[in-house]
């Protein structure tokens, strides 16, 4: 699986079609990456693509010495369920984490 990085995005694409994505914003004077949207095409769900996309953002944060704030429900649930995998970069969920629809 090839994950592509663009400013503010990581996405998964097959044959030119974007089938999964995670977006983030910079906050805290650029020291925090706020995960604000995660989506995977329904035909690919259950294959851990969303987690791999979130992990790509976390790896970016680690490499740049930043923190990650989950502000979408999927990312917040992932950080809570696998706390030990994200404890080095995770901040408390943002205010939108409970209201963000899981797509």
């Amino acid at each position: 699986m090839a994950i592509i990085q663009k400013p503010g995005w990581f996405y998964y694409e097959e044959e030119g079609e974007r089938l999964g994505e995670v977006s983030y914003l910079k906050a805290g004077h650029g020291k925090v990456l706020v995960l604000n949207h995660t989506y995977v095409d329904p035909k690919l769900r259950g294959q851990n693509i969303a987690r791999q996309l979130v992990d790509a953002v976390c790896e970016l944060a680690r490499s740049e010495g930043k923190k990650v704030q989950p502000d979408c429900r999927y990312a917040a649930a992932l950080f809570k369920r696998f706390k030990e995998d994200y404890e080095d970069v995770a901040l408390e969920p943002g205010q939108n984490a409970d209201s963000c629809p899981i797509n």
Side-chain angles (χ1 to χ4, degrees), residues 3 12 16 18 45-46 49 60-61 64 68 75 77 84 87 96 99:
I3 294 178
Y12 172 67
R18 189 178 291 193
R45 291 188 184 161
I49 292 172
L60 175 65
E64 296 181 353
V68 178
E84 65 284 349
E87 64 189 356
N96 296 320
S99 61

Side-chain angles (χ1 to χ4, degrees), residues 35-84:
L35 286 168
N36 63 344
H37 169 74
T38 306
Y39 173 80
V40 173
D41 187 283
K43 66 184 174 188
L44 296 176
R45 291 188 184 161
Q47 298 180 35
N48 286 324
I49 292 172
R51 181 171 182 176
Q52 291 176 49
L53 291 164
V54 169
D55 286 352
V57 175
C58 292
E59 286 304 315
L60 175 65
R62 287 180 182 105
S63 72
E64 296 181 353
K66 297 179 180 182
K67 295 291 185 179
V68 178
Q69 180 180 31
D71 202 26
C72 83
R73 192 168 26 172
Y74 173 80
L78 187 66
F79 279 30
K80 183 177 180 181
R81 183 172 182 197
F82 298 100
K83 185 177 260 183
E84 65 284 349

Side-chain angles (χ1 to χ4, degrees), residues 16-29:
E17 182 181 3
R18 189 178 291 193
L19 298 172
E21 62 190 24
V22 62
S23 64
Y24 62 90
L25 304 169
K26 291 184 179 179
H29 302 287

